[in-house]
Amino acid sequence: MGGGGARAAYQVGFLRALAERHPDLEIPILTGVSAGAINAVHLAAHPGPFREAVEDLRELWLSLTMDRVFQIDAGTLTVNTLRWGLQLISGGLLGRPRIKSLMDTSPLRHLLESALDARGGIIPGIEANVASGRLRAVAVSTSSYTTGRSVTWIQGAEVAPWSRPRRRARTDRIGVDHVMASAALPLFFPAVQIGEEWFGDGGIRLSAPLSPALNLGADRILALSTRFEPTSREEARPMIQGYPPPAQVIGSLLNAVFLDLLEQDAWRLERINDLLRRLPAEHRDTKRIVQLLTLRPSRDLGQLADEFEIRLPALFRFLLRGLGTRETESPDVLSFLLFDPAYLALLIEMGERDANARMGEIECILTGEVPEPTVLDPGAESGLPEEAPSDPSSNRSPLRG
């Protein structure tokens, strides 16, 4: 489950559609990054059947308001903004900044500790489900500000860490700190200290979002994205007029860092998958073909967020408008932070509807039935995601070393 802040409510709708069809489904490997880590860990720790776990997760998301995620009072926002401004214009002469982020996310920490029944920061439900055999492994990805590496924390039965260039996995008892770190949106939310290192949002350096599930042994993957895939005509339509405001720049950066990499990773894997199909089984070594299905929203969640902007607290709305959220047709930065029950309910409803529309493909993943593979054009230039098949979400992909 990928990231996207408030957008991750969309994933809950997909899970709800799945639970309606398979109320006692057991998913052996759960991986999450950023806000998707909250959903993954909630499912991994819940003591009840799948449908009950999903309904509890839905209730959690529908109960969210801005002040249950971060302190949104005028005093806190004003003081933090002024302190950062003074630090900037003083050229650092005022010493080290006294604030760690624009927002204080202690309300979210308290909420997660209660919802996950955390004890001393540790989430006992994960250990219980691993011991019972209901769960093989859960993985939460973070980004180390201290070392500059992507670190995926894993807990499960007979799991082994792995190491790749600029990213590695560590075994640990996953707790609220890991979840808070994975969801720590840069600058907006504070980094979290785990051991001797400081960690932030896992999407920052996770160049291969499918890697945790693949390295944990998955051979069938449902990847839940929160990134809308526009048509060629929609993609060519400008979202702003004139010079881009800061909100447009920030939104583009957030999309590039947190949402776009899944599409590229899926496309790369499918290229290798096609190569493996051409090889005799005895020549594939340890590589295997992995079925992959990516689910994504049928509508632009940034554009939907614009309709709910008026519901934001006055000062917060004022600050975001100062960044130019009213000057773009798709204020993506707003969709990351819009923890409003009405907006979240709409995303959950959309996720459920989109999942039902593709339930046939989803059932193939659950049963292991392999549809006819999509054969890529061997003349297509490699390494360019824009040359990918028009719908890479339904393709099957392999594990690579």
Side-chain angles (χ1 to χ4, degrees):
M1 284 175 271
R7 291 171 175 242
Y10 174 83
Q11 299 168 354
V12 181
F14 163 82
L15 294 169
R16 193 161 190 254
L18 195 59
E20 286 296 315
R21 299 271 188 135
H22 302 276
D24 297 315
L25 178 67
E26 292 184 1
I27 304 176
I29 299 172
L30 293 161
T31 73
V33 59
S34 193
I38 297 175
N39 294 336
V41 169
H42 185 280
L43 294 181
H46 198 281
F50 184 60
R51 174 185 279 176
E52 183 180 317
V54 171
E55 285 303 311
D56 285 352
L57 182 60
R58 176 176 176 268
E59 291 302 315
L60 175 65
W61 275 93
L62 291 177
S63 73
L64 289 182
T65 54
M66 304 284 281
D67 59 352
R68 297 196 75 188
V69 178
F70 44 79
Q71 290 188 11
I72 197 65
D73 60 280
T76 300
L77 280 176
T78 301
V79 170
N80 287 352
T81 303
L82 287 175
R83 283 177 175 171
W84 266 4
L86 289 173
Q87 186 71 18
L88 178 64
I89 64 176
S90 73
L93 296 178
L94 297 180
R96 299 185 64 176
R98 297 176 58 190
I99 59 173
K100 297 178 179 178
S101 62
L102 183 61
M103 302 166 186
D104 179 354
T105 54
S106 55
L108 177 60
R109 175 179 287 276
H110 297 323
L111 179 67
L112 292 178
E113 288 174 344
S114 174
L116 299 173
D117 192 27
R119 303 165 190 172
I122 300 300
I123 305 169
I126 296 177
E127 194 168 29
N129 284 333
V130 170
S132 69
R134 293 177 57 189
L135 179 69
R136 188 194 308 172
V138 60
V140 172
S141 294
T142 60
S143 298
S144 173
Y145 291 135
T146 305
T147 66
R149 292 185 298 189
S150 173
V151 178
T152 297
W153 304 89
I154 53 175
Q155 181 177 350
E158 300 180 358
V159 295
W162 61 87
S163 180
R164 301 288 184 271
R166 306 306 301 167
R167 52 190 173 94
R168 61 175 299 184
R170 298 181 188 174
T171 57
D172 201 354
R173 296 181 67 191
I174 291 177
V176 175
D177 278 347
H178 300 91
V179 181
M180 290 293 295
S182 185
L185 199 64
L187 300 182
F188 288 98
F189 296 172
V192 177
Q193 186 174 15
I194 302 176
E196 300 298 320
E197 298 180 45
W198 287 90
F199 293 88
D201 199 298
I204 298 174
R205 282 195 171 272
L206 189 60
S207 57
L210 300 175
S211 174
L214 294 170
N215 280 289
L216 288 170
D219 52 23
R220 286 171 284 159
I221 298 177
L222 281 168
L224 307 187
S225 173
T226 60
R227 181 75 154 111
F228 171 68
E229 184 72 16
T231 64
S232 298
R233 178 175 298 180
E234 291 170 330
E235 199 170 32
R237 183 166 54 88
M239 290 180 289
I240 58 169
Q241 298 296 328
Y243 193 83
Q248 182 68 23
V249 176
I250 295 172
S252 296
L253 286 172
L254 291 175
N255 285 335
V257 172
F258 300 110
L259 305 181
D260 293 348
L261 293 177
L262 176 59
E263 309 299 329
Q264 298 172 21
D265 201 22
W267 183 84
R268 286 194 301 265
L269 289 174
E270 178 54 27
R271 294 287 298 186
I272 303 173
N273 201 46
D274 184 57
L275 293 176
L276 285 180
R277 291 192 189 101
R278 299 166 188 265
L279 286 176
E282 62 270 18
H283 293 159
R284 295 177 185 174
D285 297 325
T286 59
K287 307 299 187 297
R288 66 186 186 277
I289 294 176
V290 175
Q291 289 179 258
L292 169 67
L293 177 64
T294 303
L295 275 294
R296 61 176 64 83
S298 55
R299 294 182 62 187
D300 187 331
L301 303 189
Q303 291 183 359
L304 287 178
D306 190 46
E307 301 173 15
F308 295 85
E309 187 257 5
I310 193 63
R311 299 171 62 93
L312 290 171
L315 179 58
F316 193 65
R317 183 173 68 246
F318 174 79
L319 291 174
L320 288 177
R321 286 184 176 181
L323 294 175
T325 54
R326 306 302 293 171
E327 300 173 37
T328 173
E329 292 185 12
S330 182
D332 288 322
V333 64
L334 183 61
S335 69
F336 278 75
L337 300 170
L338 189 58
F339 293 95
D340 176 80
Y343 178 64
L344 300 176
L346 181 62
L347 299 192
I348 292 173
E349 180 184 343
M350 184 190 304
E352 191 169 358
R353 184 173 62 250
D354 290 350
N356 282 321
R358 301 185 64 183
M359 192 56 69
E361 296 170 87
I362 295 170
E363 292 288 352
C364 285
I365 292 288
L366 297 181
T367 61
E369 178 184 346
V370 182
E372 285 298 316
T374 300
V375 178
L376 300 183
D377 177 7
E381 184 178 359
S382 62
L384 299 176
E386 59 267 23
E387 299 277 346
S390 58
D391 184 13
S393 62
S394 62
N395 296 336
R396 275 67 57 197
S397 300
L399 171 65
R400 74 262 196 253

